[in-house]
């Protein structure tokens, strides 16, 4: 397994929004992120638990979707090794300038075309002197704003060929795969991967509309399942439709809540899920039939989960919220 | 409002089961109730928070369903007043002998035919000397068994005429009604009533199959919503199908989980919901349309909630678990 | 027991503060109350769960302490009965004008001299049309601000003669007493009383400095013990000293956190505690020795709990925060 | 940093007890571990979340304390590399036979003399067919027994020279150090280290009595802070003295509860704490003064925390439970 532990963690996601002011209001007032800096049409936001300066890069655009995702490597050498692997695998890429306190980063595309970046250099968040947290083991004060998300937890990408994407990250970056939904023909409907002990960091799910490079959702962490339930009160009263949850997923067992931010991108508020310590475990593989049988408790997901992603494709079934059987 | 505050609280429910040994195992090992005493074919069980000797009377029978529900009055005089009201209202009734440490009780039927009892005399639970709790403000030790239900919280009865039942308890017993689902023709699909500040204690829902005197469910309280979620893990792993939840109800906002005990009776594990302090509030009335529109978050209930009760009527739709729109 | 159930619940507390702007900031930004209205030097604040227009009346003053506490009666007749009882008991009192949407109220003094009011007429909070909550069963939106306190839960008063105060409320207002700390000489160090099923609403504790009419604290409710723990993060990072907790009390078993608002008044954020359903229970009586022995888990309270109240008396031991054995 | 990521996680602790039957009852009935196998005087126990066959090896002995701790390596090669490092560092060691499904293991001593083992070969727990969990992503059923601990989380060792021990694990095994309490003379009172993203796995604290190779405590994980609070109810009612907590630690911010199992060994039930993702962070270093100043909320620990360990040394101050200032 090449790249073993060269990746440290998901660093941030760049999100595109055609309604930037409203998106910004959503992420700050409702989710509780704070703006660290901004330049023309770009805002850098962080959760109170982020050690880096941002976990979300929000960019005004004429469309919704993901600009790029970025992973931090464990060291400069690890970054060099990963770039080398990409070149050896004939995956094109380019170096990008430092931005918002991170980088330089090497940008490339995953097999479905999503832009991805890897970087090592970063800046640690330093709170202004008058807003230092009580304990220096914290990165910033706990302010109690809205859903109080601590950090970004994972990103979920739609792909035509889930398996190819999964194998790309395994082969090139040493990500571990914890769970897979596998069809009888060997194709995959979903794959849950991570560079840490957390059961998900990068997820791929099948794009049933055949789109390219679309985003399914970005997920933010809260510290307890009770916090997810309170987030439902908050969003419900703020007039934000709750697309799914609160309930629990089968894969990785995360407790979830889904809504769409004003720009149209799907956002998850999550907690729970498992930590995986076994260094030589095999992925849990669910056949489509096993998964459809719902072995564990938790609500069925709406049919929009199979089709709606950003940018949307305009197919009517994307917004059909009637219940659907699986997955 | 006659009977104002003559009723103190729901005392117990007598549950009939054709599979008594398995039911007993369910209530003790999974729910965490303990058997206080028993006689031939009857078991008296309590939660760790019950001050009386039992909240559940389990009776071996050739069918499932509710034997009776019992309410404790605030005083002997209150009991006498309620019996007098029943007689004035020409509701037949009879005195029953003390049983299991409660009574004598006066037994009568609600408008749908469910047997109901009111009593004042009771016995307080005294733990054996070697199992006394650490604090004398507790009624027994916390033992950490299964779902650890603290006490029975409410009983939900199916009725052909919900409105008549609701008005019966309001007029005769001073129960307060907190929420109602009202159809355009004035009939009601559900009514949530209580003698305490808790938003539900006796609930009526429409029996869409036209049965008589059926039980929808009995509900047991756990101290947090997190406990309801853990109960889902427990039941799921014990092979008990979870009929609905964990999720949150619109009426009274209780957080719920539903399963059926081996005898077929539906059981809820619940927490949350609100306390109502306003002495002159009016019930929250939901039109069918408002309720169907799902103003709050929470999963839709399975269609079996409209039809399945105990004893079951054998209609195929009773066990249809596909999703249904309302309520 | 005269006055049986004539009292519905604690309506509000009027708090005096010599630093009104800072107190206002504390209650709104940190506790999450919102200002409903104000007049010169007086602010009316509510929690998101209050059905009335306010639970806290904040008044600029040259000293800290309690202005008055106010209880709502169950009906106009109940109010008249209580006033009649006060006159019969030769407790002086006067009617006060309606204020902030409540009243007229009858004002009198408890045996320790605290001003108390009883009233029936009130106004129900109506949110502005554009801020209505998603469900009409809620009184206002859940906004996720700071500690998100739902409502005022109880008030704790210091008194030279706890027993006299306790008996005053029992005899005249039908409050139930749930727990008592009783000394060998028959005097009492604490008494926990309520007009509802909640184990505390009005509490008296001995004023060990012999002050008169002092306030020990007002307590605000959050929905879970986890919320109390998060409030500790919030206050700690905001630079507010935490005087005690988070931990659990022996009496009524409430989970607590104590801090002082900028005006000097002690404020509790609490959850948990028990609901009491037994209509003929007797108070749990702890001897001083039993209480000092700490039969249950939970931290010992700081010595300031015996002496510090508002207005402070300036005795050095009031601010001694070293640990003390009991209670 | 030699040994970078060669260690996967803490595998188990072997605990010595002079009262094995009672210890076994404590760990199974109260903590909720289950016995997987046993041989004469040795029991292998696991939490419901363990993928290996055991996390606790309990051994009848004439004294209390730790037999050994065992760490699993990431691969056979990693194991070989670590043994090689030990030899190069002239740390004596021997191979031990496989036992209870783990091993062979290489056994050596840390600078304070605690026996430590590293191993790679292990056996994965396979539940009996009739007790398989509902989801194959779980290692066993959730049974709801007592405190329901999921797994062992960390071990805390007493040492005369904390710094030497910390540096031993950093230099030889690539453990990351997250927090240190450092005295003015450069000696250390505590060090928190881990091979995973969890903030503690191996902890050293100063043995103020100058003992050798003593155990401070072993810690078991529960899923929420609410679970720690319920464990307090459970232990309190079972008559087990609670030595400290529930409260929150400054280092790593874990929420804790401490008691001693019948054999005398201190046991922690914990939740919370942080996950650390930054690959190039520096340890948070608290000076003694900073730590004594208690920058964060949480109770002060009893003085027994400085002196009591297993085996006990019989010094009277070991059992002094009066409060002490720091740490």
């Amino acid at each position: 397994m090449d790249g073993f532990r060269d990746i440290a963690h998901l660093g941030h996601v760049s999100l595109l929004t055609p309604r930037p002011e409203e998106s910004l209001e959503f992420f700050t007032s409702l989710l509780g992120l704070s703006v660290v800096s901004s330049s023309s049409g770009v805002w850098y936001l962080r959760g109170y638990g982020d050690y880096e300066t941002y976990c979300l890069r929000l960019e005004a655009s004429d469309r919704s979707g993901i600009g790029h995702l970025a992973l931090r490597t464990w060291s400069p050498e690890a970054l060099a090794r990963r770039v080398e692997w990409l070149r050896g695998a004939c995956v094109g890429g380019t170096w990008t300038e430092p931005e918002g306190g991170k980088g330089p980063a090497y940008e490339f595309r995953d097999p479905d075309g999503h832009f991805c970046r890897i970087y090592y250099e970063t800046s640690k968040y330093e709170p202004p002197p008058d807003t230092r947290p009580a304990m220096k083991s914290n990165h910033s004060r706990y302010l109690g704003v809205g859903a109080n998300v601590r950090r970004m937890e994972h990103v979920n990408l739609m792909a035509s060929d889930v398996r190819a994407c999964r194998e790309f990250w395994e082969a090139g970056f040493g990500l571990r795969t914890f769970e897979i939904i596998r069809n009888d023909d060997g194709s995959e409907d979903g794959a849950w991967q991570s560079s840490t002990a957390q059961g998900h960091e990068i997820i791929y799910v099948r794009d049933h509309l055949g789109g390219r490079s679309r985003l399914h959702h970005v997920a933010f962490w809260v510290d307890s399942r009770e916090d997810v339930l309170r987030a439902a009160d908050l969003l419900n009263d703020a007039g934000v439709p709750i697309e799914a949850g609160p309930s629990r997923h089968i894969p990785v067992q995360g407790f979830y809540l889904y809504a769409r931010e004003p720009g149209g991108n799907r956002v998850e508020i999550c907690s729970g899920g498992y930590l995986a310590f076994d260094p030589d475990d095999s992925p849990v593989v669910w056949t489509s039939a096993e998964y459809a049988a719902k072995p564990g408790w938790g609500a069925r997901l709406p049919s929009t989960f199979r089709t709606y992603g950003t940018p949307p494709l305009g197919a009517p079934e994307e917004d059909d919220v009637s219940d659907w059987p699986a997955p």
Side-chain angles (χ1 to χ4, degrees), chain A residues 151 153 176 178 196-199 221 252 272-278:
Chain A
R151 55 182 170 83
E153 212 248 353
R176 299 171 65 201
F178 290 107
T196 78
Q198 294 186 110
W221 177 265
V252 188
Y274 55 68
L275 295 180
F277 297 103
D278 185 356

Side-chain angles (χ1 to χ4, degrees), chain A residues 132-298:
Chain A
R132 287 212 185 97
M135 292 199 295
K136 53 187 176 182
S137 49
N138 282 332
H139 302 292
S140 51
R141 291 187 174 185
Y142 177 79
L143 293 174
V145 176
N148 295 306
V149 301
R150 180 185 280 269
R151 55 182 170 83
M152 183 174 288
E153 212 248 353
H154 65 259
V155 56
N156 184 316
L157 305 170
M158 300 178 92
S160 296
D161 187 342
V162 167
R163 182 172 194 147
C165 292
R166 170 179 66 78
E167 292 175 345
F168 172 77
W169 288 103
E170 287 176 359
F173 299 87
L175 291 203
R176 299 171 65 201
T177 302
F178 290 107
E179 307 209 15
I180 296 171
I181 300 173
R182 184 168 290 160
N183 298 311
D184 295 342
D185 63 2
S187 68
E188 296 174 5
D189 271 6
W192 285 258
Q193 305 185 282
S194 181
S195 65
T196 78
Q198 294 186 110
H200 38 34
E201 190 170 42
I202 296 183
I203 304 171
Y204 284 94
V205 293
R206 178 190 294 254
D207 191 329
H208 287 270
L209 294 189
R212 290 284 288 175
S213 311
R214 294 207 294 162
L215 171 71
H216 195 275
H217 68 266
V218 289
F220 295 90
W221 177 265
V222 289
D223 280 3
S224 70
R225 300 197 285 194
E226 180 67 22
D227 285 344
V228 177
L229 298 174
R230 292 324 290 260
D233 291 335
L234 180 81
L235 295 181
N236 192 208
D237 271 349
V240 177
I242 295 175
E243 186 182 7
S247 195
R248 190 195 65 162
H249 284 300
I250 299 298
V252 188
Q253 307 184 19
F255 197 73
Y256 65 81
L257 163 66
Y258 290 94
R260 298 181 195 165
E261 56 90 23
N265 297 294
R266 189 187 278 113
V267 171
E268 179 182 4
I269 297 174
C270 69
S271 192
Y274 55 68
L275 295 180
F277 297 103
D278 185 356
D280 67 345
D281 57 349
S282 303
V284 173
V285 178
W286 304 96
T287 65
S288 301
E290 285 173 333
Y291 187 64
K294 278 201 90 300
W297 60 267

